[in-house]
Amino acid sequence: MSLDLATTRRIAKLARIGLDDQEIEAVRAQLGGILGWIEILDEVDVEGVPPMIGTSTNAALLPREDAVTDGDCQDKVLSNAPDREGPFFTVPKVVE
Amino acid sequence: MLTDLTIAQAAEGLRKKEFSAVELTKAHTDAVEALNGRVNAYITVTPDKALEAAKKADSTLSAGEAPALTGIPLGIKDLFCTNGVRTTAASKIIGNFVPPYESTVTAKLLENGAIFLGKTNLDEFAMGSGNLTSAFGSVENPWHRKDDASVLVPGGSSGGSAAAVAAHMAMGATGTDTGGSIRQPAAYCGIVGLKPTYGRCSRWGTIAFASSLDQAGPMTRTVEDAAIMLTAMAGHDPKDSTCADVAVPDYRAACGRSLKGLRVGIPQEYDSPLMATEKGNDILAAWKKGAKILEEAGCEIIDVFLPHTRYALATYYIIAPAECSSNLARYDGVRFGKRAEGATSLDDLYEKTRHNGFGEEVRRRILMGTYVLSAGYYDAYYLKAQKVRTLIQRDFTQAFQKVDVLLTPTAPTAAFARDEKPEDPVQMYLNDIFTVPASMAGQPAMSVPVALDDKGLPLGLQLIGKHFDEETIIAVGSALEKAAGFTARPDLRAGVSA
Amino acid sequence: MSYTIEGNTGTWEIVVGLEVHAQVISKSKLFSGASTLFGGEPNSHVSLIDAGFPGMLPVINQACVEQAVRTGLGLKARINLESRFDRKNYFYADLPTGYQISQFEHPIIGTGVVQIELSDGSTRDIGITRLHLEQDAGKLMHDQDPKRSFVDLNRAGVALMEIVSEPDIRSPEEAGAYVRKLRQILRYLGTCDGNMEEGSMRADVNVSVRKSASEPFRTRCEIKNVNSIRFVMQAIEIEAARQIEIWESGGEVDQETRLFDPHKGETRSLRSKEDAHDYRYFPDPDLLPLVVEQAWVDELERGLPELPDDKRDRFIKQYGIPRYDASVLVAEQAIADYYEEVAKGRDARLAANWVTGDLFGALNRTGRSIQDSPISAQALGGMLDLMADKTINGKIAKEVFEDMLETGDSAADIVERKGLKQVTDTGAIDAAVADVLARNADKVEEYRGGKDRLFGFFVGQVMKAMAGKANPAIVNEALKKVL
């Protein structure tokens, strides 16, 4: 299956990966190739087959008790921030 | 030489006071210093921390009752977050990330007395089969073809760990395996690599690639060493919901266990990819040799069928990218990692940061994953793949009604040269053809080196077990290892060349 | 009573469905052990999980599951014994992981119903489509820096219940009644504090209009994040008018997300490129299916408090009070409890009158809630007891009540202190009667001449002469005897 440029651009936008025209074209061609190869799955009849959820090695969630056991670690939370301001992370101004 | 010892031997020597943990560690930090410039197995080395820890290990040892790995120097794949030690995932985007926490697996190893030599190289975010996508340069396989100086890849993604262990720059190392990232580099580097059952080791604190597949495991020079390390690494962790609450046996006890009456399955579908290549003959021969060894050890060899094998790789290349596209969304340059300069808006910040920070292969997989999850394509790709995954798992369930363990090759070829890297990503993905099916089904699997090909490169065989039955693959693996008598070592290793 | 809007081309009906986001009452977050307390230092109630650090994994909070199930039971809804968590993927500065963990395909709670009561006394059932658990996002501050927005993740990861209604609502009043009722139920259950000012409850309002009830639904718009009941009602009215105008001028309503601006009294488009949204939901591979046992659900059901509708019906039956009063008294659990304590063993109707009348009036005046009422239920009951044993009459009771409000003293003390005890000494009353009649001989004539209405005048004069403390029944009797 081939992929068109508009779809490739939309995907890149959704994934927030900035690509120039040349890169978009390269990605389009490569993804197209992979998608073509994946078409082998068309052979498989999955009628009535349930999709795998998680893996079968564990059955269900094991909930934790409701207690405050974490947080209160502002220093750790902010320690790697590339541009912090006091106790805040920052981003370029968002206009809402 | 101290660097030639296995973990089991070193543990004994330490207890007998034949040498100290400081001496053992120093031998390894020296080896790393001598070789890493060329092999590039480590992204970050921490010799001072290691020697500091070795001193403590010596006092623990003299006090007696030291845990199994006390004083044993290990390499840690740079995907495990290590408290206060830079953790990069071999990516520019978190090239300066210093986690304020320790992954569960590495914490368990530390509790068990292990000494960390540093953080080993990998494919960026563990995405690759050749260790060619690291932002910190590629790793050189310590093995070379006879009369050929070409630099070979160590396999991937745990290529730095595999090369470090093979070159005696660590006694063992942690790896992670999503579609073969422990087993394939182990095969390429002539060492043992064990991917446990999904849920056996905690994923907490290990940087995620594909959550439903990622699993940590040991990479060592012997099966026994892998068993020792796994015993320390495995176990329930309430911080990882997918980590199983299943008791951890002493895996080492499974080594040398009798194989009489054990049923070994030979999946009939696994030979076709080999037939197709000229190099496949050596691998087919090694596979036959392995089966013969096991037969002689008292196993019953049974042909089994895993009919959906041929769909596993395509399924994998839908599911793993889908999960990775979501898992890697957090790398946005806001809370940690490298932020692109000069962004004019929030989206611009995201797009520049993620374009500059991720390498080409990672970007490709994120985009692939975004595509297969996007509106209008979800059912055709992602949902379909999860259904096929159910069928792949059923294949294994059915096979394991007839046999106790499966024997297959680990990889379709021996290590290839850097300049032989295929341009087509799909060709590259084919390296995982034998390892991916077990990953999709969550089965434990191990690669054991058994032979050299005609160029003198190591070849590995893969043992696939039932869920949570690592003991059987360890038992079979140790027998295979012993009978195969694989003693070859790479030409590039500690004390030999520098 | 059906609500319609007259347009230029005829009569329009509105169709509304609500998605209410209710913050779950729990100590820690949905998937991390960080505190849910409101108003901490920025980024202090944040774990590395909430901040989306590499390798961090979510673990579900048992209490949040329990709260969701209890809420489901309170909404008479289907409890799904197996549910799942999905990732909703999108990039925004308040969403650290780049996805929100939510429940898309398999929510924990299925269909249920909420009965609403309207001002004309009628009731309507509003269907609940589903309730699911999800994470809240962090907070952005835009006004602290000219070029940057600041990010505080204290709210990130707090558990929310999203409660989705069927498009059953047909008027702004119904929408208001629905949110009020939902809030009442959640507060009774103790699953959400319902505080809309602090944002612990907010609504997304889906509005469309159509020409008649037989016409299929037309395109709807979603008005995001409306944070008061009044605004929900206003937003519906304004949005419906906007849509009618578009349809009537031959236009086409676009399905889009809009924002309600109460200052300008308008809704406006929030996202111009709606097509850019593609959340790529898929099951969260870090989380397994959530399985709950029927036996546990049954146990929770047994432990549920009496809910407002049941309580109202019981009040009507048990206390013989009017439906309206009963509804008012069950509005909040604390009020109902207060009332029941006052009514216990006393004249329940009189108790209802005092609570809904004088007490509510006083609380409103002083801006207090029932929890910090200056007159406890016991104290009010004590005053009713004094009325019952005729120590004071109704008129004096008002004075005593005002004093209680001010001083916090008990009714008995006040009566004692002020000497308000009712006079039942017939001698004193007879003397006062004689005196009043003697001073108003002309009126006595008129009364005897047939002007019956003057009886009240004599009662008043006698009461006045006795400073209001006379027992009215004895006064009546004495007057009748003499006259």
Side-chain angles (χ1 to χ4, degrees):
Chain A
M1 176 186 158
S2 70
L3 200 60
D4 60 52
L5 273 178
T7 306
T8 313
R9 270 188 230 283
R10 190 173 63 82
I11 296 296
K13 178 78 204 169
L14 270 177
R16 298 295 188 276
I17 294 177
L19 296 176
D20 63 28
D21 288 350
Q22 211 179 338
E23 288 167 323
I24 282 279
E25 174 49 35
V27 164
R28 189 201 63 77
Q30 282 165 344
L31 291 194
I34 299 168
L35 289 168
W37 168 65
I38 281 171
E39 273 173 15
I40 187 175
L41 295 185
D42 293 349
E43 296 171 10
V44 191
D45 179 9
V46 291
E47 186 66 36
V49 178
M52 195 162 174
I53 296 294
T55 62
S56 65
T57 55
N58 222 346
L61 284 179
L62 216 66
R64 61 170 224 281
E65 255 186 66
D66 182 27
V68 178
T69 55
D70 206 343
D72 272 329
C73 54
Q74 213 186 32
D75 288 353
K76 285 185 182 178
V77 165
L78 295 163
S79 61
N80 279 278
D83 180 48
R84 70 180 267 195
E85 181 69 45
F88 295 105
F89 299 109
T90 73
V91 293
K93 193 148 192 116
V94 177
V95 187
E96 277 192 328
Chain B
M1 272 189 78
L2 291 179
T3 49
D4 291 339
L5 299 174
T6 65
I7 291 174
Q9 289 164 347
E12 203 186 327
L14 285 168
R15 277 160 188 78
K16 287 185 177 161
K17 305 269 182 279
E18 286 166 10
F19 45 86
S20 69
V22 169
E23 287 167 323
L24 184 65
T25 300
K26 188 76 178 45
H28 283 90
T29 54
D30 286 350
V32 171
E33 198 184 336
L35 291 171
N36 201 48
R38 175 160 171 198
V39 181
N40 200 27
Y42 288 87
I43 290 175
T44 304
V45 292
T46 53
D48 297 344
K49 270 178 117 82
L51 287 167
E52 188 94 358
K55 281 182 205 156
K56 275 194 198 133
D58 277 327
S59 53
T60 312
L61 283 160
S62 28
E65 305 265 318
L69 290 172
T70 305
I72 303 297
L74 302 176
I76 301 299
K77 187 178 185 179
D78 205 14
L79 204 60
F80 293 88
C81 290
T82 41
N83 196 0
V85 176
R86 181 174 76 145
T87 302
T88 69
S91 181
K92 269 196 283 187
I93 206 159
I94 47 168
N96 291 315
F97 177 60
V98 180
Y101 50 95
E102 187 75 36
S103 83
T104 298
V105 162
T106 49
K108 277 171 170 282
L109 288 170
L110 290 172
E111 272 165 42
N112 211 269
I115 285 162
F116 295 170
L117 296 164
K119 307 298 290 290
T120 59
N121 209 340
L122 64 150
D123 282 291
E124 185 181 3
F125 280 101
M127 296 174 198
S129 317
N131 222 296
L132 295 166
T133 70
S134 168
F136 295 83
S138 46
V139 176
E140 176 170 353
N141 191 324
W143 294 81
H144 296 87
R145 290 173 185 145
K146 269 185 290 192
D147 312 316
D148 179 353
S150 304
V151 173
L152 307 181
V153 302
S157 66
S158 312
S161 289
V165 173
H168 298 201
M169 296 161 73
M171 307 203 82
T174 59
T176 64
D177 191 312
T178 304
S181 280
I182 286 176
R183 293 160 284 163
Q184 183 255 17
Y188 278 18
C189 291
I191 64 163
V192 173
L194 197 168
K195 178 201 92 79
T197 310
Y198 181 82
R200 179 73 288 191
C201 292
S202 169
R203 294 185 296 112
W204 192 89
T206 307
I207 296 176
F209 161 15
S211 309
S212 74
L213 296 155
D214 295 346
Q215 187 56 210
M219 304 178 78
T220 53
R221 290 193 290 270
T222 68
V223 173
E224 185 183 26
D225 285 0
I228 294 169
M229 270 186 77
L230 181 61
T231 306
M233 294 164 71
H236 179 56
D237 180 5
K239 292 190 286 188
D240 174 3
S241 303
T242 62
C243 185
D245 194 359
V246 176
V248 181
D250 177 6
Y251 288 113
R252 193 180 185 178
C255 296
R257 188 195 273 180
S258 164
L259 305 187
K260 285 245 152 27
L262 205 72
R263 299 162 304 167
V264 176
I266 307 292
Q268 296 303 294
E269 292 79 5
Y270 279 51
D271 61 0
S272 51
L274 297 172
M275 305 294 197
T277 68
E278 51 184 291
K279 294 177 195 158
N281 281 334
D282 285 340
I283 304 218
L284 279 170
W287 192 10
K288 286 209 177 87
K289 173 182 163 188
K292 193 152 182 290
I293 288 172
L294 296 180
E295 195 167 16
E296 281 164 4
C299 296
E300 189 187 344
I301 306 297
I302 299 169
D303 288 348
V304 295
F305 296 91
L306 302 168
H308 296 92
T309 299
R310 64 194 249 98
Y311 306 114
L313 211 51
T315 307
Y316 176 83
Y317 277 97
I318 291 171
I319 290 166
E323 293 182 7
C324 110
S325 72
S326 178
N327 283 335
L328 270 59
R330 67 189 61 200
Y331 304 103
D332 58 7
V334 177
R335 295 162 316 287
F336 44 77
K338 191 162 168 45
R339 162 182 289 204
E341 303 281 324
T344 54
S345 68
L346 182 61
D347 277 346
D348 191 37
L349 172 77
Y350 290 149
E351 291 182 352
K352 284 198 170 104
T353 295
R354 292 164 61 78
H355 173 271
N356 301 350
F358 290 134
E360 203 187 328
E361 179 65 23
V362 171
R363 295 197 311 233
R364 181 154 54 230
R365 295 206 196 186
I366 291 173
L367 293 168
M368 181 71 194
T370 304
Y371 178 74
V372 299
L373 288 175
S374 65
Y377 301 103
Y378 179 86
D379 286 1
Y381 291 107
Y382 185 79
L383 192 64
K384 172 91 186 248
Q386 286 290 28
K387 289 176 178 174
V388 177
R389 194 174 174 187
T390 299
L391 294 173
I392 292 166
Q393 191 176 48
R394 283 181 188 168
D395 283 355
F396 279 103
T397 308
Q398 278 157 17
F400 282 121
Q401 283 166 357
K402 282 191 248 163
V403 299
D404 303 300
V405 66
L406 299 170
L407 179 72
T408 80
T410 305
T413 64
F416 56 89
R418 269 183 204 165
D419 53 18
E420 293 161 7
K421 179 203 163 208
E423 277 310 305
D424 177 5
V426 170
Q427 286 307 309
M428 193 70 185
Y429 297 166
L430 290 174
N431 281 300
D432 302 330
I433 196 153
F434 297 134
T435 49
V436 152
S439 297
M440 299 306 291
Q443 313 299 138
M446 177 166 66
S447 179
V448 180
V450 290
L452 297 179
D453 71 1
D454 60 353
K455 305 256 174 46
L457 295 181
L459 299 174
L461 289 183
Q462 174 179 233
L463 294 159
I464 303 172
K466 297 177 184 172
H467 286 154
F468 298 106
D469 187 15
E470 284 80 4
E471 286 170 286
T472 297
I473 59 174
I474 287 167
V476 177
S478 71
L480 196 59
E481 174 184 58
K482 197 171 161 201
F486 184 86
T487 52
R489 289 289 176 259
D491 53 308
L492 186 62
R493 68 176 193 276
V496 174
S497 47
Chain C
M1 182 183 72
S2 69
Y3 173 91
T4 51
I5 298 172
E6 287 306 317
N8 296 327
T9 59
T11 306
W12 293 82
E13 175 185 81
I14 67 166
V15 176
V16 175
L18 288 171
E19 292 164 24
V20 172
H21 298 261
Q23 188 190 315
V24 175
I25 294 178
S26 65
K27 296 190 198 87
S28 61
K29 295 183 178 181
L30 182 55
F31 293 112
S32 90
S35 168
T36 56
L37 281 183
F38 192 80
E41 263 271 292
N43 290 307
S44 62
H45 299 324
V46 179
S47 77
L48 298 167
I49 299 169
D50 308 319
F53 271 59
M56 293 298 97
L57 296 171
V59 182
I60 185 87
N61 181 341
Q62 170 71 24
C64 296
V65 176
E66 186 174 323
Q67 294 287 53
V69 170
R70 292 179 71 244
T71 305
L73 291 168
L75 301 175
K76 303 182 178 19
R78 192 163 47 85
I79 311 299
N80 294 323
L81 296 181
E82 183 171 333
S83 63
R84 287 184 207 147
F85 289 97
D86 301 289
R87 291 185 184 177
K88 178 181 184 178
N89 295 284
Y90 63 96
F91 284 88
Y92 198 57
D94 62 7
L95 187 69
T97 49
Y99 54 83
Q100 178 198 37
I101 305 178
S102 180
Q103 297 190 293
F104 181 57
E105 254 192 283
H106 302 275
I108 184 160
I109 307 294
T111 53
V113 68
V114 165
Q115 192 187 67
I116 59 168
E117 231 170 312
L118 301 169
S119 57
D120 64 355
S122 64
T123 60
R124 273 205 68 202
D125 284 349
I126 306 298
I128 299 291
T129 314
R130 55 185 276 156
L131 176 156
H132 68 253
L133 283 166
E134 64 182 28
Q135 300 174 297
D136 203 351
K139 210 171 91 187
L140 297 186
M141 268 142 284
H142 306 295
D143 48 6
Q144 321 231 339
D145 187 282
K147 287 198 164 140
R148 297 174 300 172
S149 294
F150 291 175
V151 186
D152 173 14
L153 299 177
N154 279 350
R155 308 310 302 154
V158 168
L160 301 178
M161 295 180 283
E162 180 172 327
I163 304 164
V164 183
S165 85
E166 295 287 328
D168 287 348
I169 294 164
R170 293 289 176 273
S171 72
E173 188 201 354
E174 287 182 10
Y178 169 78
V179 178
R180 216 172 288 121
K181 187 58 170 284
L182 200 58
R183 186 172 64 173
Q184 188 185 31
I185 293 170
L186 299 181
R187 287 170 59 93
Y188 261 71
L189 292 165
T191 56
C192 171
D193 68 21
N195 191 333
M196 295 187 88
E197 296 79 58
E198 277 180 18
S200 40
M201 226 177 116
R202 45 193 195 255
D204 297 343
V205 188
N206 288 292
V207 182
S208 67
V209 296
R210 60 178 173 179
K211 273 297 185 60
S212 73
S214 55
E215 193 184 273
F217 293 146
R218 298 195 186 198
T219 310
R220 65 185 155 86
C221 290
E222 184 182 21
I223 309 160
K224 277 271 182 208
N225 262 327
V226 188
N227 61 4
S228 85
I229 292 173
R230 195 160 54 92
F231 290 165
V232 166
M233 296 167 69
Q234 282 176 6
I236 292 169
E237 237 182 286
I238 289 163
E239 175 61 17
R242 184 189 74 89
Q243 290 183 15
I244 290 167
E245 201 182 309
I246 293 174
W247 291 121
E248 290 194 330
S249 59
E252 197 59 46
V253 169
D254 291 330
Q255 179 161 349
E256 61 181 357
T257 304
R258 301 180 69 83
L259 195 74
F260 175 58
D261 184 337
H263 303 295
K264 293 190 182 157
E266 62 174 30
T267 69
R268 59 171 179 271
S269 189
L270 187 59
R271 289 175 190 138
S272 45
K273 286 176 275 175
E274 190 63 15
D275 60 343
H277 273 265
D278 182 344
Y279 292 124
R280 292 157 284 138
Y281 282 101
F282 76 110
D284 190 330
D286 287 333
L287 293 162
L288 302 162
L290 175 62
V291 176
V292 300
E293 303 284 333
Q294 185 60 48
W296 180 68
V297 174
D298 293 343
E299 196 187 309
L300 290 181
E301 187 157 27
R302 282 193 296 275
L304 285 191
E306 184 182 31
L307 289 170
D309 287 356
D310 296 334
K311 203 182 275 290
R312 177 198 61 210
D313 294 346
R314 178 170 65 79
F315 277 16
I316 294 169
K317 222 174 128 203
Q318 182 177 340
Y319 299 118
I321 57 176
R323 187 186 170 94
Y324 178 79
D325 283 3
S327 294
V328 171
L329 286 170
V330 302
E332 277 186 54
Q333 178 89 50
I335 295 173
D337 291 348
Y338 185 102
Y339 167 70
E340 288 211 86
E341 203 181 327
V342 176
K344 201 172 161 191
R346 303 192 176 99
D347 181 339
R349 284 163 170 255
L350 189 66
N353 288 340
W354 275 93
V355 172
T356 59
D358 297 78
L359 181 73
F360 280 8
L363 294 178
N364 269 342
R365 235 173 23 243
T366 52
R368 288 171 188 254
S369 71
I370 193 89
Q371 281 89 345
D372 47 27
S373 163
I375 301 176
S376 70
Q378 238 173 345
L380 184 57
M383 193 196 80
L384 294 186
D385 289 342
L386 293 182
M387 291 174 75
D389 69 12
K390 308 212 182 330
T391 305
I392 57 173
N393 59 39
K395 187 155 181 276
I396 294 294
K398 302 264 178 198
E399 187 186 337
V400 171
F401 184 85
E402 289 305 318
D403 199 316
M404 288 169 81
L405 267 183
E406 224 162 87
T407 62
D409 290 347
S410 76
D413 289 349
I414 293 165
V415 168
E416 186 64 41
R417 163 158 55 78
K418 289 190 161 172
L420 296 175
K421 199 167 180 326
Q422 188 164 251
V423 176
T424 48
D425 171 4
T426 47
I429 292 173
D430 285 347
V433 165
D435 185 47
V436 165
L437 295 188
R439 279 194 283 111
N440 297 284
D442 51 337
K443 295 232 166 45
V444 172
E445 279 314 306
E446 283 177 45
Y447 177 80
R448 288 190 174 137
K451 221 169 172 188
D452 289 354
R453 283 185 293 114
L454 279 168
F455 190 77
F457 166 78
F458 297 125
V459 173
Q461 289 300 307
V462 174
M463 291 302 278
K464 197 176 162 192
M466 298 198 67
K469 291 184 286 184
N471 180 320
I474 299 175
V475 172
N476 278 343
E477 212 172 298
L479 274 170
K480 269 183 197 155
K481 207 164 65 189
V482 182
L483 285 168

